[in-house]
């Protein structure tokens, strides 16, 4: 409880837990307003298709975090003797958030803060993880209590991601460190765990920091305005280590950190590629938003015309070309998303390519600059954005493998302005894939992997396959939560038996090519239910104490 008698503020990474959740009556009212969508849900449930009914219900009423089912009970505390027997010394930060790690002592240091309890079994799990000499830092999952006697919030953390951690401190205060790896390091007070983790990743490589998907601690921890300053200082220090000193580090009102990496002068040309067949009702808002709500100065717009016949659409093409606002490239024949984009990409003049669906509209004018800043990094391949659907809900927050039966869009159906679990929707972070509805990539990187695979994935999964091939050659895929656009997904498609058959074939092709990766996304926690919208609820039977391997 704070000095004014109010509950303490939520730490920045946990703001998602403070977002309002509509009650049952509000959800029922929405169902009743849409009887045509509600009746199939009821029918599916009554016929035993409970999963299909649940998925359709979430799509109708929206997604919200559900941590009350099942009720979470913390495990017993680990005895101090168990830590000592495992060669672990517990080091607690002082009132200023500073720590002191001496040169002498057990080989493992467990950094914690007041209010934290170590979960039973953690000592043995940590010691086993450090049996590999290439591991220098281990962090795990936690239960967080916001108020005395309140419910427990599970914090299921992602695999280590330096970009994500610089943006949002998802680690929390508990982390195990190899003593020899941190001796002599002077940690930033108030952000010790963050600072030391980033230092270890820089010194030994990102593989030296591992996540153990198991409960290691429970309790509460506070974060103040001073904590934001400490986080900023830790990130600045890490940028200096990486040779990026001087990069502006901006802390938003929500505590999310933004890095404004330098851009070359003159600004490189970006080619905005938009496939369409008629549908002027979608295309015009898309193109006009690219023209007038994108403040990147060096851009060309290329429209892939897939046999448009509507007179108004053709007249719009002529107007755009007469004004020098766009180039229209004829792409005749059956609609083949991958082949059309490949064809126009080969004619593009830009150093960067931006693939944009014709049902996407830009919102804030800095969306393209935010994406380009990341796409120009040598180690980054594809870059995606936050996309919001026509109902104001998340349509795309990165692509998650192994969910929804195959792959799904992260945080699908959550509120469009939601923070996301552990700040994931607002962060810049690594993901397995992003949608080609809005995807930015340097042209030479796109060519390096052969572009979209039109022979195997003409319509669906070509973006997933592209990103996985980029990842495989060392070009990571990034999601940029600060780049926000609107997307009316598949508004320009028409269902047919042929389309359904083609989709089934592409599903099987994706499984055949990327089967092992589809079993469990490396960026997504296995403790979540894989069947509904991501981050919605825990997997049935989850306790957090199951045997786990570091990842």
């Amino acid at each position: 409880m704070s000095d004014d008698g109010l509950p303490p503020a939520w730490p920045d990474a946990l703001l998602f837990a403070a977002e309002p959740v509509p009650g049952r009556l509000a959800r029922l009212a929405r169902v009743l307003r849409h009887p045509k969508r509600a009746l199939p849900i009821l029918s599916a449930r009554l016929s035993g298709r409970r999963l299909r009914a649940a998925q359709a219900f979430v799509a109708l009423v929206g997604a919200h975090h559900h941590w009350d089912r099942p009720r979470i009970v913390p495990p017993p505390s680990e005895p101090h003797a168990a830590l000592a027997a495992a060669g672990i010394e517990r080091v607690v930060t002082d009132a200023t958030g500073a720590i002191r790690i001496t040169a002498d002592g057990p080989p493992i240091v467990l950094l914690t803060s007041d209010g934290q309890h170590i979960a039973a079994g953690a000592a043995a799990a940590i010691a086993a993880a450090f049996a590999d000499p290439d591991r220098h830092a281990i962090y795990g999952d936690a239960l967080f209590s916001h108020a005395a006697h309140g419910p427990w919030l599970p914090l299921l953390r992602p695999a280590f991601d330096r970009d994500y951690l610089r943006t949002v401190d998802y680690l929390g205060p508990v982390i195990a460190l190899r003593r020899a790896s941190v001796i002599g390091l002077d940690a930033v007070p108030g952000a010790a765990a963050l600072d030391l983790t980033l230092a270890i990743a820089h010194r030994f490589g990102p593989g030296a920091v591992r996540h153990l998907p198991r409960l290691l601690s429970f309790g509460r921890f506070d974060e103040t305005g001073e904590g934001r300053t400490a986080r900023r200082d830790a990130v600045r220090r890490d940028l200096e280590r990486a040779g990026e000193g001087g990069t502006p580090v901006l802390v938003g009102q929500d505590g999310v950190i933004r890095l404004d990496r330098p851009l070359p002068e003159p600004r490189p040309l970006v080619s905005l590629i938009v496939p369409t067949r008629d549908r002027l009702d979608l295309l015009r808002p898309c193109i006009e938003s690219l023209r007038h709500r994108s403040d990147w100065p060096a851009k060309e717009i290329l429209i892939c015309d897939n046999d448009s016949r509507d007179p108004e659409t053709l007249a719009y093409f002529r107007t755009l070309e007469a004004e020098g606002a766009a180039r229209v490239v004829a792409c005749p024949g059956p609609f083949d998303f991958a082949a059309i984009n490949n064809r126009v990409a080969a004619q593009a003049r830009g150093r960067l390519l931006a693939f944009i669906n014709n049902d996407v509209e830009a919102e804030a004018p800095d969306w393209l600059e935010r994406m380009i800043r990341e796409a120009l990094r040598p180690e980054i391949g594809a870059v995606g954005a936050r996309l919001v659907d026509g109902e104001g809900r998340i349509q795309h927050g990165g692509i998650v493998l192994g969910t929804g039966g195959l792959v799904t869009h992260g945080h699908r159906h959550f509120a469009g302005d939601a923070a996301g679990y552990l700040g994931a929707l607002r962060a810049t972070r690594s993901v397995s894939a992003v949608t080609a509805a809005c995807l930015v990539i340097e042209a030479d990187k796109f060519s390096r992997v052969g572009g979209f695979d039109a022979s195997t994935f003409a319509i669906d999964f070509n973006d997933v396959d592209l990103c996985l091939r980029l990842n495989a050659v060392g070009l990571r895929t990034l999601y940029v939560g600060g780049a926000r656009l609107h997307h009316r997904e598949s508004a320009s498609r028409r269902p047919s038996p042929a389309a359904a058959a083609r989709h089934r074939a592409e599903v099987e092709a994706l499984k055949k090519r990327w089967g092992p990766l589809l079993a469990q996304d490396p960026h997504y926690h296995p403790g979540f239910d894989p069947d509904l919208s991501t981050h919605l609820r825990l997997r049935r039977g989850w306790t957090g104490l199951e045997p786990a391997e570091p990842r």
Side-chain angles (χ1 to χ4, degrees):
M1 194 71 67
S2 62
D3 294 338
D4 55 10
L6 297 174
W10 288 88
D12 289 333
L14 309 188
L15 291 177
F16 71 94
E19 293 170 344
V21 176
R24 292 183 178 180
L25 290 179
R27 283 179 282 173
L28 177 61
R30 178 169 175 82
V31 170
L32 294 176
R33 289 196 299 269
H34 298 83
K36 291 184 178 180
R37 296 174 64 183
L39 288 176
I41 296 174
L42 179 61
S43 174
R45 187 170 180 84
L46 292 176
S47 62
R49 295 172 294 166
R50 298 174 64 89
L51 177 57
R52 178 172 294 184
Q55 291 170 335
F57 183 78
V58 169
L60 177 56
V61 305
H64 310 88
H65 302 291
H66 293 282
W67 310 125
D68 54 338
R69 299 188 299 273
R71 183 173 177 269
I72 297 172
V73 178
S77 295
E78 184 79 294
H80 179 76
L83 293 173
I88 300 172
E89 178 189 6
R90 180 173 179 173
V91 176
V92 182
T93 55
D94 65 20
T96 67
I99 61 165
R100 181 173 179 269
I101 300 175
T102 62
D104 299 325
I108 301 171
V109 174
L110 185 60
L111 181 61
T112 71
S113 65
D114 283 334
Q116 288 293 306
H117 302 271
I118 306 305
I126 292 170
F130 277 106
D132 185 335
D134 292 329
R135 295 172 185 162
H136 297 263
I138 296 289
Y139 64 96
D141 302 329
L143 297 178
F144 174 77
S145 176
H146 182 238
H149 311 296
W152 291 96
L153 174 69
L155 305 182
L156 308 189
R157 297 185 168 106
F160 179 71
D161 178 353
R162 195 174 185 179
D163 282 295
Y164 191 176
L165 191 55
R166 285 171 169 176
T167 307
V168 175
D169 183 5
Y170 60 77
L171 281 181
V174 176
I175 186 167
L177 308 166
R178 195 179 293 278
R179 183 184 296 272
S181 305
V182 295
I183 291 300
L185 295 181
D186 183 22
V188 173
L194 171 65
D195 189 25
L196 293 175
T197 302
L198 291 173
I200 286 173
H202 175 75
R203 180 180 177 186
F204 299 102
V209 182
R210 294 301 182 98
H211 169 241
L212 186 63
R214 180 200 191 281
L215 286 179
L216 295 184
S217 64
F218 60 95
R220 61 164 294 101
F221 55 90
D222 298 321
E223 184 176 81
T224 64
E226 291 76 13
R228 289 184 177 181
T229 301
R231 285 177 48 223
R232 183 189 62 197
D233 292 345
V235 171
R236 282 177 173 164
R237 179 182 287 188
D238 191 50
L239 290 170
E240 290 172 0
R241 284 189 292 256
E244 298 182 76
T247 298
V249 180
L250 311 175
V251 183
Q253 292 184 344
D254 54 5
V256 175
I257 289 178
R258 170 182 170 182
L259 306 181
D260 274 356
R261 289 186 166 84
L263 291 166
E265 289 289 353
R267 299 290 192 256
L269 180 69
V270 56
S271 300
L272 300 155
I273 299 173
V274 184
T276 196
R277 175 183 290 172
D278 294 318
R279 293 308 302 266
L280 186 60
D281 58 319
L282 299 175
L283 180 66
R284 190 196 302 272
C286 170
I287 298 299
E288 296 307 309
S289 76
L290 298 182
R291 294 178 65 187
H292 305 299
R293 292 199 295 277
S294 302
D295 57 10
W296 190 258
K299 60 179 182 283
E300 65 169 355
I301 298 175
L302 294 91
I303 299 174
C304 324
D305 177 24
N306 184 221
D307 290 330
S308 295
R309 293 182 174 85
D310 175 59
E312 292 188 9
T313 301
L314 299 177
Y316 182 61
F317 288 164
R318 290 192 293 271
T319 299
L320 289 174
E321 291 193 304
E323 295 175 354
R327 241 193 316 151
V328 179
V329 180
C331 299
F335 182 70
D336 184 325
F337 179 90
I340 286 172
N341 278 290
N342 284 344
R343 177 175 182 174
V344 177
Q347 300 182 40
R349 297 182 294 113
R351 173 180 169 181
L352 297 114
L353 308 173
F355 298 99
I356 309 291
N357 275 19
N358 68 345
D359 51 2
V360 167
E361 295 177 39
E363 187 179 275
D366 66 346
W367 68 275
L368 189 53
E369 178 183 309
R370 286 186 177 228
M371 298 178 75
I372 288 174
R373 285 185 189 273
E374 306 301 336
L376 288 173
R377 294 164 61 187
E379 73 276 19
I380 300 303
V383 177
R386 178 199 295 229
L387 301 182
V388 178
D389 66 20
E391 296 187 79
R393 302 190 306 210
I394 294 297
Q395 189 275 327
H396 173 264
I399 291 176
V400 182
L401 309 179
T403 55
L406 191 64
V407 300
T408 55
H409 287 188
H411 288 89
R412 184 75 170 99
H413 304 302
F414 278 81
D417 60 354
Y421 188 81
L422 296 178
L425 281 173
R426 297 175 181 171
T428 294
R429 57 189 176 86
S430 295
V431 292
S432 290
V434 293
T435 177
C438 180
L439 186 155
V440 175
I441 184 173
E442 286 192 282
D444 68 323
K445 296 171 183 173
F446 184 72
S447 299
R448 195 184 311 173
V449 296
F452 294 113
D453 184 351
S455 63
T456 310
F457 303 105
I459 307 296
D460 292 323
F461 309 120
N462 40 64
D463 43 14
V464 176
D465 176 71
L466 171 69
C467 292
L468 294 181
R469 285 186 285 117
L470 288 164
N471 297 345
V473 298
L475 296 171
R476 292 189 293 118
T477 302
L478 279 192
Y479 162 83
V480 179
R484 172 173 164 147
L485 302 92
H486 292 279
H487 182 210
R488 288 177 277 184
E489 183 183 25
S490 301
S492 55
R493 293 197 196 177
R494 294 289 184 267
S496 69
R502 183 262 313 149
H503 175 75
R504 288 193 295 270
E506 291 176 344
V507 165
E508 293 306 313
L510 190 71
K511 291 178 179 179
K512 181 178 180 180
R513 179 173 293 180
W514 301 108
L517 275 179
L518 299 179
Q520 174 61 54
D521 192 305
H523 303 286
Y524 190 60
H525 199 290
F528 288 113
D529 186 336
D531 293 325
L532 294 179
S533 178
T534 69
H535 306 93
L536 186 72
R537 67 185 184 189
L538 299 175
R539 183 189 294 269
R540 185 179 298 275
W542 176 88
T543 66
L545 302 176
E546 297 86 359
E549 291 294 323
R551 57 180 191 143

